[in-house]
Amino acid sequence: MPPAAGFTGRDEELGRLRAALDPSGPGDEQAVLVTAVSGLGGIGKTALAVQAAYAAREAGWFPGGVLFVDLHGYDDAPVTADQALQSLLRALGVGPEHAWLDRERAGLVAAVHWAREGKHVDTAMRLALCLSGYLRWRRHFDDAIGVGSAAQKAAHSIGNRRCEAMAWNNLGVALHESGRVDEAIAAHVRSRDLLRDLGDRQGEAEAWHNFGNALAAKGQIDQAMEAYDP
């Protein structure tokens, strides 16, 4: 974004921003993580911030460059954090690591359901477990629930109790995040019991924690506190 033409009248504010950005300024900190400009809409906050960024670049304080992203904060649909991150990555010439997964998501999910029976069941189970975190992160909750259920059934069919416990946990988290709290509670109980039988103390503790989160979401605070400290 270019600086505003005829920018004037903000010498004091611009000086304060320059002082905050100056790497040779007083104090132990050598970098400013966040510097915010606040005020009413339309008074020139963006123009001031852009002017300060250009001044900092001209002073040689940011030799790697300065990036700008418009979050459209006053619009009906402001830019999300993920959209902002992708915009910045594209500006740097870096493609997002999940781009391939986004393109192939439907096929990968279909492959899990297709292969969960027969000779490919182990592959389907492991693929489902790998996809679980990505699907929840991208908020594809219906796919996450379907894949989690497929992983659980596949693991159970081949007697892999550890992977079955992981699948129940993933399924429980996806159900919780989609608002199906009662089903999430049941899934976390199954995960907890399997991990307890396997003697996996760390995994069991995580299952207890997720169980407590689901109970808290349902308003059962006393039971949730007991789950957090079994």
Side-chain angles (χ1 to χ4, degrees):
M1 180 176 183
F7 181 88
T8 186
R10 295 288 186 179
D11 292 343
E12 180 180 351
E13 292 86 352
L14 184 58
R16 291 170 62 186
L17 276 176
R18 285 173 57 90
L21 297 171
D22 188 347
S24 64
D28 296 330
E29 295 291 339
Q30 295 299 310
V32 177
L33 297 180
V34 176
T35 299
V37 179
S38 63
L40 297 174
I43 65 172
K45 299 187 300 296
T46 299
L48 174 62
V50 170
Q51 193 74 18
Y54 273 93
R57 190 185 67 176
E58 291 168 3
W61 295 341
F62 297 97
V66 178
L67 297 174
F68 173 83
V69 57
D70 186 350
L71 299 178
H72 296 278
Y74 293 101
D75 292 359
D76 293 335
V79 173
T80 66
D82 183 65
Q83 290 170 333
L85 176 59
Q86 291 192 45
S87 175
L88 293 172
L89 288 171
R90 285 194 297 270
L92 293 169
V94 179
E97 294 181 355
H98 55 75
W100 181 84
L101 283 170
D102 288 342
R103 291 194 302 269
E104 302 297 333
R105 172 176 61 87
L108 291 168
V109 170
V112 168
H113 291 289
W114 172 78
R116 71 180 187 181
E117 297 178 0
K119 64 179 181 179
H120 300 296
V121 63
D122 184 72
T123 301
M125 173 193 70
R126 297 185 186 281
L127 175 58
L129 291 173
C130 290
L131 285 173
S132 179
Y134 157 76
L135 291 170
R136 297 199 312 272
W137 171 58
R138 299 296 281 163
R139 304 187 68 80
H140 298 300
F141 294 133
D142 287 343
D143 281 346
I145 291 169
V147 162
S149 178
Q152 180 272 316
K153 292 174 182 176
H156 182 77
S157 71
I158 60 176
N160 190 326
R161 301 180 72 203
R162 186 171 300 280
C163 285
E164 184 180 359
M166 293 170 57
W168 275 119
N169 178 68
N170 292 340
L171 178 58
V173 174
L175 288 165
H176 182 179
E177 290 176 336
S178 64
R180 295 162 60 175
V181 181
D182 287 332
E183 294 171 82
I185 290 172
H188 288 309
V189 168
R190 296 293 298 272
S191 176
R192 179 201 64 191
D193 292 347
L194 279 168
L195 290 163
R196 176 187 291 161
D197 290 345
L198 290 168
D200 184 345
R201 299 286 298 278
Q202 182 175 345
E204 183 187 347
E206 180 181 354
W208 273 109
H209 180 81
N210 290 332
F211 176 48
N213 288 344
L215 289 169
K218 198 177 178 183
Q220 299 178 5
I221 304 302
D222 290 341
Q223 296 94 320
M225 294 303 296
E226 293 175 2
Y228 290 139
D229 187 20

